[in-house]
Amino acid sequence: MLYGVIKALLSGLLVGLVSETARRNAALGALFASLPLVSVLGMIWLWRDTRDSARLADHAQATFWYVLPSLPMFLLIPALLRRGVGFWPALLAGCALTVVLYGVTVAVAARVGVRL
Protein backbone atom coordinates (compact mmCIF):
# COMPACT_ATOMS: atom_id res chain seq x y z
CA MET A 1 0.00 0.00 0.00
CA LEU A 2 2.73 2.46 0.97
CA TYR A 3 4.63 1.57 -2.21
CA GLY A 4 1.57 2.45 -4.32
CA VAL A 5 1.17 5.78 -2.53
CA ILE A 6 4.85 6.61 -3.09
CA LYS A 7 4.54 5.79 -6.80
CA ALA A 8 1.41 7.93 -7.13
CA LEU A 9 2.92 10.87 -5.24
CA LEU A 10 6.15 10.85 -7.22
CA SER A 11 4.31 10.54 -10.54
CA GLY A 12 1.89 13.31 -9.56
CA LEU A 13 4.77 15.51 -8.46
CA LEU A 14 6.21 15.28 -11.98
CA VAL A 15 2.91 16.36 -13.55
CA GLY A 16 2.68 19.26 -11.11
CA LEU A 17 6.25 20.30 -11.87
CA VAL A 18 5.55 20.33 -15.61
CA SER A 19 2.35 22.38 -15.26
CA GLU A 20 3.95 24.91 -12.90
CA THR A 21 6.97 25.26 -15.16
CA ALA A 22 4.74 25.72 -18.23
CA ARG A 23 2.78 28.43 -16.43
CA ARG A 24 5.98 30.42 -16.03
CA ASN A 25 7.74 29.46 -19.28
CA ALA A 26 5.79 27.68 -22.03
CA ALA A 27 8.87 26.44 -23.89
CA LEU A 28 10.57 25.03 -20.80
CA GLY A 29 7.32 23.42 -19.68
CA ALA A 30 6.97 21.85 -23.12
CA LEU A 31 10.53 20.57 -22.93
CA PHE A 32 9.84 18.94 -19.55
CA ALA A 33 6.55 17.52 -20.83
CA SER A 34 8.29 16.04 -23.86
CA LEU A 35 10.81 14.17 -21.75
CA PRO A 36 9.79 10.56 -21.31
CA LEU A 37 9.79 10.93 -17.52
CA VAL A 38 6.52 9.04 -17.03
CA SER A 39 7.74 6.26 -19.32
CA VAL A 40 11.05 6.04 -17.47
CA LEU A 41 9.27 5.97 -14.12
CA GLY A 42 6.92 3.31 -15.44
CA MET A 43 9.88 1.21 -16.53
CA ILE A 44 11.54 1.66 -13.15
CA TRP A 45 8.36 0.62 -11.33
CA LEU A 46 7.86 -2.33 -13.71
CA TRP A 47 11.45 -3.48 -13.27
CA ARG A 48 11.26 -3.14 -9.49
CA ASP A 49 7.98 -5.08 -9.40
CA THR A 50 8.84 -7.88 -11.84
CA ARG A 51 12.57 -8.02 -12.70
CA ASP A 52 11.28 -9.40 -16.01
CA SER A 53 13.53 -8.28 -18.89
CA ALA A 54 11.22 -9.63 -21.58
CA ARG A 55 8.19 -7.82 -20.16
CA LEU A 56 10.17 -4.59 -19.84
CA ALA A 57 11.44 -4.91 -23.41
CA ASP A 58 7.87 -5.48 -24.67
CA HIS A 59 6.67 -2.49 -22.66
CA ALA A 60 9.40 -0.18 -24.01
CA GLN A 61 8.80 -1.27 -27.60
CA ALA A 62 5.03 -0.87 -27.32
CA THR A 63 5.53 2.57 -25.78
CA PHE A 64 7.50 3.60 -28.86
CA TRP A 65 4.69 2.53 -31.18
CA TYR A 66 2.02 4.24 -29.05
CA VAL A 67 3.92 7.53 -28.92
CA LEU A 68 3.76 7.90 -32.71
CA PRO A 69 -0.05 8.15 -33.02
CA SER A 70 -0.19 10.59 -30.09
CA LEU A 71 2.04 13.16 -31.82
CA PRO A 72 -0.59 14.62 -34.22
CA MET A 73 -2.64 15.68 -31.18
CA PHE A 74 0.08 18.21 -30.38
CA LEU A 75 -0.41 19.77 -33.81
CA LEU A 76 -4.21 19.63 -33.91
CA ILE A 77 -4.86 21.26 -30.52
CA PRO A 78 -2.81 24.41 -31.16
CA ALA A 79 -4.20 24.69 -34.70
CA LEU A 80 -7.76 24.59 -33.34
CA LEU A 81 -6.99 27.01 -30.51
CA ARG A 82 -5.46 29.49 -32.96
CA ARG A 83 -8.63 29.29 -35.06
CA GLY A 84 -10.78 30.28 -32.08
CA VAL A 85 -11.96 26.85 -30.99
CA GLY A 86 -12.35 26.67 -27.21
CA PHE A 87 -9.92 24.74 -25.05
CA TRP A 88 -12.24 21.84 -24.13
CA PRO A 89 -13.47 21.15 -27.69
CA ALA A 90 -9.87 21.37 -28.97
CA LEU A 91 -8.67 18.99 -26.27
CA LEU A 92 -11.54 16.60 -26.97
CA ALA A 93 -10.78 16.67 -30.70
CA GLY A 94 -7.08 16.01 -30.02
CA CYS A 95 -7.90 13.10 -27.74
CA ALA A 96 -10.42 11.69 -30.21
CA LEU A 97 -7.86 11.89 -33.01
CA THR A 98 -5.35 10.09 -30.81
CA VAL A 99 -7.81 7.29 -30.00
CA VAL A 100 -8.57 6.81 -33.71
CA LEU A 101 -4.86 6.78 -34.55
CA TYR A 102 -4.20 4.28 -31.75
CA GLY A 103 -6.72 1.97 -33.41
CA VAL A 104 -5.07 2.45 -36.79
CA THR A 105 -1.64 1.81 -35.24
CA VAL A 106 -2.76 -1.42 -33.59
CA ALA A 107 -4.33 -2.66 -36.82
CA VAL A 108 -1.33 -1.76 -38.98
CA ALA A 109 1.16 -3.12 -36.44
CA ALA A 110 -0.67 -6.45 -36.34
CA ARG A 111 -0.54 -6.68 -40.15
CA VAL A 112 3.22 -6.16 -40.23
CA GLY A 113 3.95 -8.50 -37.33
CA VAL A 114 4.48 -5.99 -34.50
CA ARG A 115 2.85 -7.20 -31.31
CA LEU A 116 1.35 -4.48 -29.13
Side-chain angles (χ1 to χ4, degrees):
M1 176 69 178
L2 179 61
Y3 175 58
V5 170
I6 290 170
K7 289 194 310 188
L9 287 174
L10 184 55
S11 301
L13 183 65
L14 282 173
V15 172
L17 176 67
V18 168
S19 68
E20 283 302 306
T21 302
R23 194 165 57 88
R24 291 172 175 79
N25 183 317
L28 187 58
L31 174 64
F32 287 168
S34 72
L35 295 173
L37 298 174
V38 172
S39 296
V40 169
L41 271 179
M43 287 188 279
I44 290 169
W45 303 138
L46 181 60
W47 179 254
R48 185 188 179 285
D49 293 346
T50 67
R51 301 269 188 219
D52 185 339
S53 295
R55 181 180 294 214
L56 188 56
D58 288 345
H59 170 77
Q61 183 175 344
T63 299
F64 170 80
W65 291 109
Y66 284 127
V67 163
L68 297 177
S70 72
L71 294 177
M73 174 181 72
F74 297 104
L75 298 175
L76 178 62
I77 291 173
L80 292 175
L81 291 172
R82 289 186 179 113
R83 285 177 175 72
V85 175
F87 168 74
W88 293 110
L91 182 63
L92 182 62
C95 291
L97 174 64
T98 300
V99 169
V100 168
L101 293 176
Y102 280 159
V104 170
T105 299
V106 169
V108 170
R111 292 183 112 180
V112 298
V114 174
R115 189 175 63 98
L116 297 176

